[in-house]
């Protein structure tokens, strides 16, 4: 099966290791970073969402109107707009991008972050709302006759949109989370299920949980699986590990200074969301797993988001990614700490290695034909 690569569409050049040098929305840097992804083999970029961050939808439209191939993953929280409005926004963006949009729906794992924008629902209530929201958006994207909706969270009457996506029947829906409620919602509604990078054994367990949830929802085809990492690469193993330790030292130094980019995620102690709790637990159990997974980056940020690293030469990191591919992961999300430089280096030195090996395996599989038994060597 093909493999895809997802990068980050940051709107400024700051990261956990260094503060930004300009405005929160730096047009020139946003375009430069997106173009670097398009020019170096990436398939799509994520426009992330934060309560105080630049609005990702117009930022995505800005990039879509200037680049021809790069696809867009737009993060969206259901609490920030009514689904009738959001569905039109998404359809318009799919038009602007000529059918290059996927929407990632975020339920919200932190009560504190959700309340910054007036969302006071409990976590379970948020999952119920997200599932209803996705169902509505899908209907608006595909139905050409007015309809009513009377749900737990939303009610409207006689609605029909006049703008429809380019993609048929609709753009893909992406979803993430590591709790039973997340598996149930995403297993039922998502085309793509996003996970944070964990050891292979635990990733396999999560993939099976997603598949089981999809089966329970009556689906015959489960969501595609996406897994996210923070790659730290260098020409030699020694240089890569030196770079990794410098990276963690920089994160810790910024955290000790109380800089917002590092401490804002979990202001009130332990994180509430299951994904971050899992990352912290994994980090406490060990620093290194499998070929190249390294947890001190996650530990240093308190399990904030995509934070487990893959450390090594491009060859080592590519082999590690192929291990996840063998589990059934076909979308690799990667983001370095030097956003621009790492996007270029990963695109030049890692992506071609992974694509070459995947193509080789696909060719060998096609040559064997369906149903061919292969003896283990």
């Amino acid at each position: 099966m093909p493999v895809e690569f997802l990068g980050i569409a940051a709107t400024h050049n700051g990261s956990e290791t260094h503060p930004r040098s300009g405005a929160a929305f730096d047009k020139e840097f946003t375009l430069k970073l997106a173009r670097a992804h398009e020019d170096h083999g990436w398939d799509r970029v994520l426009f992330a969402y934060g309560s105080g961050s630049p609005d990702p939808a117009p930022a995505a439209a800005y990039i879509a109107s200037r680049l021809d191939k790069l696809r867009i993953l737009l993060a969206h929280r259901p609490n920030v707009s009514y689904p009738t409005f959001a569905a039109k926004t998404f359809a318009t963006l799919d038009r602007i991008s000529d059918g290059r949009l996927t929407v990632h729906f975020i339920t919200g794992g932190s009560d504190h972050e959700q309340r910054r924008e007036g969302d006071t629902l409990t976590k379970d209530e948020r999952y119920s709302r997200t599932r209803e929201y996705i169902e509505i958006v899908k209907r608006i994207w595909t139905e050409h006759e007015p309809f009513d909706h009377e749900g737990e969270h939303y009610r409207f009457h006689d609605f029909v949109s006049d703008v429809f996506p380019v993609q048929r029947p609709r753009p893909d829906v992406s979803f993430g989370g590591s709790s039973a409620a997340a598996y149930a919602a995403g297993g039922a509604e998502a085309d793509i299920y996003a996970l944070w990078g964990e050891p292979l054994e635990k990733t396999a367990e999560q993939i099976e949980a997603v598949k089981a949830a999809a089966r329970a929802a009556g689906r015959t085809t489960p969501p595609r699986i996406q897994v996210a990492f923070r790659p730290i690469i260098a020409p030699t193993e020694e240089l890569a590990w030196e770079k990794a330790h410098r990276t963690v030292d920089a994160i810790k130094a910024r955290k000790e200074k109380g800089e917002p980019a590092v401490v804002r995620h979990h202001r009130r102690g332990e994180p509430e969301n299951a994904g971050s709790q899992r990352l912290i637990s994994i980090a406490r159990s060990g620093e290194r797993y499998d070929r190249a997974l390294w947890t001190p980056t996650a530990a240093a940020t308190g399990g904030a988001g995509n934070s487990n690293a893959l450390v090594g030469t491009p060859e080592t990191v590519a082999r590690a990614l192929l291990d996840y591919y063998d589990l059934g992961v076909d979308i690799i999300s990667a983001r370095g700490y030097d956003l621009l430089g790492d996007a270029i280096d990963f695109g030049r030195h890692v992506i071609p290695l992974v694509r070459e090996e995947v193509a080789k395996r696909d060719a060998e599989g096609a040559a064997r034909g369906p149903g061919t038994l292969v003896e283990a060597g």
Side-chain angles (χ1 to χ4, degrees):
M1 58 183 176
V3 62
E4 296 183 10
F5 289 90
L6 168 70
I8 189 71
T11 58
H12 59 75
N13 64 356
S15 77
E16 297 93 330
T17 59
H18 59 277
R20 70 179 189 234
S21 61
F25 181 51
D26 180 335
K27 284 177 58 179
E28 289 72 23
F29 180 81
T30 301
L31 180 57
K32 186 175 184 180
L33 180 62
R35 184 169 284 128
H37 282 86
E38 182 170 88
D39 290 345
H40 291 88
W42 299 78
D43 296 286
R44 69 184 78 196
V45 288
L46 167 65
F47 286 83
Y49 189 92
S51 59
S53 301
D55 187 346
Y62 168 66
I63 293 303
S65 66
R66 285 159 175 79
L67 299 180
D68 298 323
K69 297 181 296 182
L70 194 66
R71 285 180 274 162
I72 292 163
L73 178 59
L74 179 71
H76 180 76
R77 288 182 185 167
N79 59 291
V80 300
S81 67
Y82 215 71
T84 51
F85 174 84
K88 293 185 297 180
T89 300
F90 304 147
T92 303
L93 182 53
D94 199 54
R95 288 275 159 188
I96 292 171
S97 67
D98 295 320
R100 287 179 279 152
L101 176 70
T102 297
V103 182
H104 180 68
F105 290 91
I106 303 173
T107 297
S110 165
D111 290 345
H112 180 71
E113 170 68 4
Q114 293 301 121
R115 287 171 183 164
R116 283 171 163 158
E117 294 187 285
D119 185 11
T120 58
L121 296 188
T122 66
K123 188 175 181 181
D124 286 344
E125 290 171 335
R126 293 198 296 267
Y127 274 111
S128 171
R129 177 183 61 193
T130 300
R131 190 163 177 174
E132 183 179 343
Y133 198 98
I134 294 172
E135 291 170 353
I136 293 168
V137 168
K138 287 179 177 179
R139 288 193 68 184
I140 293 171
W141 279 343
T142 56
E143 296 193 15
H144 292 255
E145 296 296 329
F147 67 94
D148 300 341
H149 179 82
E150 293 283 345
E152 180 182 358
H153 302 281
Y154 302 103
R155 296 173 180 84
F156 54 85
H157 301 93
D158 198 41
F159 181 83
V160 63
S161 177
D162 194 35
V163 56
F164 292 89
V166 171
Q167 298 177 77
R168 293 289 187 268
R170 56 172 176 78
D172 280 345
V173 164
S174 173
F175 190 90
S178 297
S179 65
Y183 299 145
E189 297 295 339
D191 303 294
I192 297 169
Y193 201 98
L195 301 169
W196 289 333
E198 295 186 2
L200 290 164
E201 181 180 0
K202 292 186 177 296
T203 300
E205 292 170 358
Q206 289 214 77
I207 292 173
E208 183 50 45
V210 173
K211 289 181 177 179
R215 290 192 295 269
R219 296 178 62 177
T220 57
T221 303
R224 298 171 63 196
I225 301 297
Q226 171 186 305
V227 178
F229 302 97
R230 305 300 293 269
I232 301 175
I233 62 173
T236 68
E237 296 293 327
E238 182 180 8
L239 290 173
W241 285 105
E242 289 177 1
K243 183 178 178 181
H245 288 290
R246 289 197 307 272
T247 297
V248 168
D249 289 344
I251 294 171
K252 290 178 178 179
R254 294 197 70 200
K255 189 174 182 180
E256 289 172 1
K257 294 178 182 178
E259 296 188 21
V262 182
V263 303
R264 69 183 175 201
H265 301 283
H266 309 309
R267 286 184 180 276
R268 301 184 178 182
E270 293 292 309
E272 300 167 23
N273 61 308
S276 292
Q277 291 169 3
R278 289 174 65 96
L279 294 186
I280 290 173
S281 175
I282 291 166
R284 287 171 177 165
S285 297
E287 289 193 355
R288 295 180 65 169
Y289 293 86
D290 307 319
R291 289 184 194 269
L293 192 75
W294 196 55
T295 65
T297 46
T301 60
N306 169 25
S307 50
N308 268 340
L310 290 177
V311 182
T313 63
E315 293 77 14
T316 295
V317 171
R319 286 194 294 269
L321 292 173
L322 288 162
D323 290 337
Y324 287 91
Y325 175 83
D326 289 340
L327 293 180
V329 176
D330 66 343
I331 303 176
I332 302 296
S333 174
R335 170 165 58 101
Y337 290 95
D338 172 6
L339 297 177
L340 181 61
D342 287 344
I344 294 171
D345 286 346
F346 190 88
R348 282 176 174 168
H349 303 298
V350 178
I351 289 178
L353 295 177
V354 177
R355 289 199 195 279
E356 181 180 3
E357 182 59 29
V358 167
K360 178 181 176 182
R361 294 180 186 189
D362 287 349
E364 291 172 349
R368 287 195 298 267
T372 303
L373 295 176
V374 179
E375 295 185 4

